[in-house]
Amino acid sequence: MSCRVDIRCCASISHQQAYSTVLSSLISASQTPDSKKEEYRKYLEKSGVIDALTKVLVGLYEEPDRPVNAVDYIKRYMGAPANVDVEALKNDNQELKAEVMDLKKTVEELKATVGETKGEVQRRSCLYYIMSVPFYLCALATAAQ
């Protein structure tokens, strides 16, 4: 699919006219039925894509020194970070997700251990209480005599 827009015309016209030019170029390049074209046009308009593309293309046209790489210029203009290794970030993300899963597992194991320890402490204190009752009774009996 080939889509050409004459940017020279965009510098001297309004954003709405530039929008129409870009939009008509996009629509004429596609082979979908009219209803789908209209639906897609409305989607692009509503989401602000057409305005953003128009602004970046006008900015590129008005740039006094043409950038060597127009795609990088557009990425920077649109706010993409420069010199970012996407694959390295994806790998880091996967490693961090695996680490989070391991940590969640460790937390669950520790919670289970704490629960067992808590139960053991309660059993021991009950056992201590039960075992100490005869001594108290014996002490009370001795003191009463």
Side-chain angles (χ1 to χ4, degrees):
M1 173 164 75
S2 176
C3 178
R4 293 184 176 219
V5 177
D6 187 3
I7 297 299
R8 291 174 293 187
C9 71
C10 294
S12 63
I13 60 177
S14 72
H15 282 291
Q16 187 63 31
Q17 290 169 326
Y19 159 78
S20 296
T21 303
V22 171
L23 182 61
S24 63
S25 297
L26 288 172
I27 290 175
S28 66
S30 65
Q31 300 297 320
T32 60
D34 287 340
S35 63
K36 286 188 176 183
K37 287 179 187 178
E38 183 62 23
E39 181 180 325
Y40 190 65
R41 183 193 66 74
K42 287 179 182 178
Y43 163 74
L44 292 174
E45 182 179 5
K46 184 177 180 182
S47 62
V49 171
I50 299 298
D51 288 336
L53 288 174
T54 302
K55 287 177 185 176
V56 73
L57 291 175
V58 169
L60 181 61
Y61 175 75
E62 292 175 347
E63 189 70 30
D65 299 322
R66 298 278 183 237
V68 175
N69 190 336
V71 173
D72 285 344
Y73 173 86
I74 291 170
K75 286 180 182 178
R76 278 194 317 277
Y77 193 95
M78 300 296 279
N83 301 326
V84 174
D85 186 3
V86 175
E87 288 303 315
L89 290 175
K90 286 181 180 180
N91 290 337
D92 289 347
N93 189 26
Q94 290 299 324
E95 291 171 8
L96 291 171
K97 284 181 179 181
E99 186 177 344
V100 166
M101 293 302 292
D102 290 343
L103 291 172
K104 284 183 178 181
K105 182 180 175 184
T106 302
V107 166
E108 290 304 317
E109 290 170 356
L110 290 172
K111 282 182 179 179
T113 303
V114 166
E116 290 171 5
T117 305
K118 205 178 212 181
E120 184 62 29
V121 167
Q122 288 174 344
R123 282 191 293 278
R124 285 184 183 178
S125 63
C126 286
L127 183 60
Y128 176 77
Y129 178 74
I130 290 170
M131 292 178 70
S132 61
V133 167
F135 292 113
Y136 286 123
L137 291 177
C138 207
L140 286 173
T142 307
Q145 291 175 355

